[in-house]
Structure formats: structure tokens, C-alpha cells
Amino acid sequence: MALNIGVIGTGMIGQDHIRRLTQVLSGVAVVAVTDIDLDRARQAAPEGAQVFDTPKALITSDQVEAVVICSWGPAHEEQLLDCIAAGKPVFCEKPMVTSETAARKVIEAEVAFGRRLVQVGFMRRFDADYRRLKAVIDGGTLGAPLMYKSVHRNASVPEGLYTSDMPLNDTLVHDADISRWLLSDEVKGVEVRLPRRSTRGKDLRDPTMVLLHMEDGAIVDVEISVNIAYGYDIRGEVSCEQGIAALPNRPATVITDQHGIRQAIPEDWRERFIEAYDQEFREWIVAAGQGTATGPSAWDGYAATLVADAALRAVDSGAYERVTMIEKPDLYGPKSARAAA
Ligand code: NAP
């Protein structure tokens, strides 16, 4: 029996997820869609899917067993709380929410419900290269991780829609989450450095350098460049006590001709992480079919939100900004991040 799902938000990633849920993956049927722009929802709706006027009508429909949220970040809080109130498993694109208060409300609602329902769209955790990198670190043969360099470069971002805060509250959340996951640790403080501004970014503050100070003393240095022009380039390198484990940009066919030796660069996240998104949904479908969620949790969404908030404060203060977390509820596993790894 296929899991009947409803998709909220049929913009760029909503349409890409509808494609994978209808054409790539099995065990799932998109039976409902909605968008603030109903024409866009109608165009994106797979054959036979019902178009709902509002997210709440979709979430509470008897036809919908589980929900995928692909609307923009500020809308996620209300939609997540409605899913939890309806007791329906929900996959929510990042950022889970856009404020600490909202993140705590989601956690409180899920804890009160008593079972995990929320999976956050941190797809890097499902990427085969990142999984191999984590296995090497966890295996311990290189010793303790001391530093991690995370490079996050986008060719461009939509002008006007991508605002000055977004490198920190929309983009950095991926690096914050993957750093916590790879190093099995929480972030205790954040610094931000603003180098000379790229003229390509117009009014955007770009690029940005962020330092994440981890609880056990490791430091993560994140480069965020959202207007790098040449393509989508995601890299990572972990320096450990006895060696280095690196994740280069995605390996591709090497072409040698009269112009030299070169490899294609992914155009955007859809191409680079296509298999990771597929795998993230494969695992979500299994869990949602059992009425629950695995993978990145509301706690992980909360942690990434706190890092984004601290980074935004650090831009204003120019100082080290502390990240202070509430006590981890039992629903999200062992209190220590290392024990949870
Ligand atoms: P997008 O193209 O702007 O699509 C968002 C869609 O949701 C738009 O159609 C928007 O309508 C609609 N929407 C906004 N508020 C809504 C509401 N309250 N109810 C229903 N629909 C609503 O943006 P996108 O690039 O697809 O991004 C969507 C989300 O995915 C964002 O949170 C983004 O950060 C995340 N994302 C994640 C990844 C990843 O790598 N995991 C990659 C890209 C995006 P209007 O345009 O009319 O506002």
C-alpha cells in the first residue's frame, strides 16, 4: 500500500520533490498539493492529486497520511504545529523554522505528542560521500577531529528574494548541521568575519566566513559564498590528530582535450545532491509509513536555528556569541551528542 502524502509549497524544491516522489521512488503517492499561489499548485499537481486552498485543509484531510513542507521558512512553524496536532509524520525542508521561540514550540509540541513525527531536510546526512567521511571520523583511525573546513558555494541566488540575512539563517544551517553530525558534538559559540564584499552580490553581504566553536574544543571554519559564478561547490576537510579526511566537490568524468584537463561542476544543489535527496525520502517514507520519523530531528532543526541566530548576533556585535541550548528531551536520544552518534 502506497503512503498517501500531501505537499505544501510547489516552488523550486517542491516541484523537484514531487518529481522524485512520483517518478523515482516507490511506496508513495502524492495525493494532495497546496501553495499560496493556487495556479502554481494546480500546475505542479500530479494527475489525480487534489489541490487544497490552505495548508491546514491539506494537513487535516483524511486523504493525507503524511506531509512534505516545501514552503518558505517563515511559514514552516505553523504548518509543522498543525501536522503535529494532526499526529501526521512530516518532512520539512530546512530551515525548520526561523526563530528560537518557534523551534522550541515545535519541540514542545512533539514531546507532548510523545513520538517523533518531524524530519528536517538536512540532505547532506544522506549523501554517500558525507556518510563515508563520517564513518572514517567515527572509526577513530585518524584520532580525534581538531578542525573542520566547510566550503559552501552557490553560483548565484535569486536577486531580490535572497536577502542579506539568508547566508546565515537559510544557508549556514546546512553547514551547522553537518558539522554537528560529523563531529558528534554541539556548537557552543559562533564568530563571523566579513571579508571584502563581492561586487557580484549587489547589496548582499557576500562572502561570509563563520567560525563554529564546538563544545569539545574543535573549530569549524565555514566559507559561504552565494554568488561564486562558476557553479555549486561543496567541500569539506576534517583535520584529525593523525591525518586528514576530505570531501572534494563531487567527482565527475575527467575530460582531456586541447583546452586542458577538466571536470564538470554541478550547476546547483539539485544536481549535486540528487541521490542524497532520493535517499533522504526513501528513509522518510519507511518511517512515515510506520507513523514516525527518523533522520534529522526537530532537535537538530533547533540546534541549527540557534547557530543561525548566534551568527546574526555576531555580525552586529563583531564578537564571539555563545549558543545556549535547553536540556535535550529524551525523545531525541542521549543527552550527549557524542553518545548519540
Ligand atoms: P520557492 O521556489 O520560493 O518556493 C516556495 C513556495 O512555497 C512558493 O511557491 C511560495 O509561494 C510557497 N509558499 C510560501 N508561503 C507559503 C505558505 N504559507 N503556504 C503554502 N505555500 C507557500 O522556494 P524553494 O527554493 O522551493 O524553497 C522552499 C524551501 O525549501 C525553503 O525553506 C528553502 O530554504 C528550502 N530549500 C532547501 C534546499 C535544500 O538543499 N535542502 C534547497 C532549496 C530550498 P510564493 O512564491 O508565492 O511566496
Side-chain angles (χ1 to χ4, degrees):
M1 274 280 284
L3 177 74
N4 290 332
I5 64 158
V7 177
I8 300 173
T10 53
M12 204 163 29
I13 205 163
Q15 289 174 31
D16 198 43
H17 286 340
I18 289 173
R19 176 196 58 76
R20 73 172 30 85
L21 290 163
T22 54
Q23 296 174 30
V24 181
L25 302 174
S26 55
V28 66
V30 177
V31 298
V33 296
T34 188
D35 193 286
I36 215 156
D37 177 344
L38 284 175
D39 282 338
R40 189 185 292 150
R42 279 184 209 102
Q43 279 164 20
E47 210 183 318
Q50 191 174 345
V51 177
F52 283 86
D53 288 346
T54 63
K56 192 158 192 161
L58 177 147
I59 292 165
T60 52
S61 163
D62 290 342
Q63 307 304 312
V64 172
E65 296 171 300
V67 178
V68 171
I69 297 178
C70 300
S71 53
W72 75 314
H76 294 177
E77 174 188 355
E78 187 182 343
Q79 295 164 3
L80 279 167
L81 292 174
D82 284 344
C83 289
I84 296 169
K88 295 192 181 172
V90 52
F91 173 92
C92 179
E93 263 309 338
K94 66 84 205 165
M96 180 179 84
V97 288
T98 49
S99 74
E100 177 178 358
T101 311
R104 286 177 66 163
K105 278 194 206 161
V106 172
I107 286 179
E108 278 159 23
E110 197 178 34
V111 168
F113 183 75
R115 184 170 78 234
R116 272 200 58 194
L117 290 174
V118 178
Q119 177 175 323
V120 182
F122 290 130
M123 77 296 181
R124 291 187 187 183
R125 294 186 184 207
F126 300 86
D127 177 75
D129 293 328
Y130 273 110
R131 285 185 162 183
R132 277 190 285 268
L133 186 58
K134 180 162 174 61
V136 170
I137 298 166
D138 289 351
T141 50
L142 299 182
L146 309 172
M147 291 183 285
Y148 174 49
K149 183 176 198 50
S150 189
V151 174
H152 190 154
R153 300 183 182 131
N154 285 70
S156 62
V157 285
E159 213 175 299
L161 293 175
Y162 194 89
T163 58
S164 243
D165 284 350
M166 287 175 84
L168 297 176
N169 67 17
D170 199 74
T171 300
L172 174 67
V173 290
H174 277 305
D175 303 278
D177 181 69
I178 205 69
S179 302
R180 296 175 56 249
W181 183 69
L182 281 174
L183 304 179
S184 308
D185 203 2
E186 294 293 1
V187 178
K188 70 174 179 192
V190 180
E191 290 176 80
V192 175
R193 295 286 177 271
L194 300 173
R196 176 181 168 184
R197 190 181 276 202
S198 161
T199 50
R200 278 181 43 81
K202 308 247 167 70
D203 296 333
L204 267 187
R205 194 171 47 220
D206 177 63
T208 315
M209 181 191 276
V210 182
L211 291 181
L212 306 180
H213 295 259
M214 308 303 290
E215 285 287 356
D216 72 359
I219 292 183
V220 179
D221 135 24
V222 185
E223 172 195 322
I224 298 175
S225 296
V226 296
N227 267 296
I228 202 82
Y230 67 82
Y232 185 67
D233 190 355
I234 302 294
R235 303 173 192 217
E237 186 171 290
V238 189
S239 301
C240 303
E241 290 167 314
Q242 296 159 60
I244 286 171
L247 175 128
N249 199 9
R250 191 129 185 106
T253 305
V254 180
I255 299 166
T256 307
D257 62 12
Q258 73 271 30
H259 303 298
I261 302 170
R262 62 192 187 280
Q263 283 179 280
I265 295 166
E267 211 174 289
D268 65 19
W269 36 272
R270 281 172 292 206
E271 184 183 343
R272 167 62 182 86
F273 286 113
I274 189 165
E275 287 138 16
Y277 290 119
D278 291 349
Q279 186 59 24
E280 140 184 273
F281 272 103
R282 256 182 223 112
E283 296 183 26
W284 178 72
I285 291 163
V286 171
Q290 294 161 0
T292 188
T294 53
S297 66
W299 178 258
D300 298 312
Y302 162 71
T305 305
L306 289 189
V307 172
D309 283 356
L312 288 166
R313 291 199 306 276
V315 170
D316 291 335
S317 69
Y320 171 93
E321 291 291 338
R322 179 113 185 96
V323 171
T324 309
M325 304 183 84
I326 55 170
E327 193 182 340
K328 191 175 183 181
D330 293 340
L331 188 66
Y332 303 113
K335 303 278 178 228
S336 135
R338 194 161 293 287

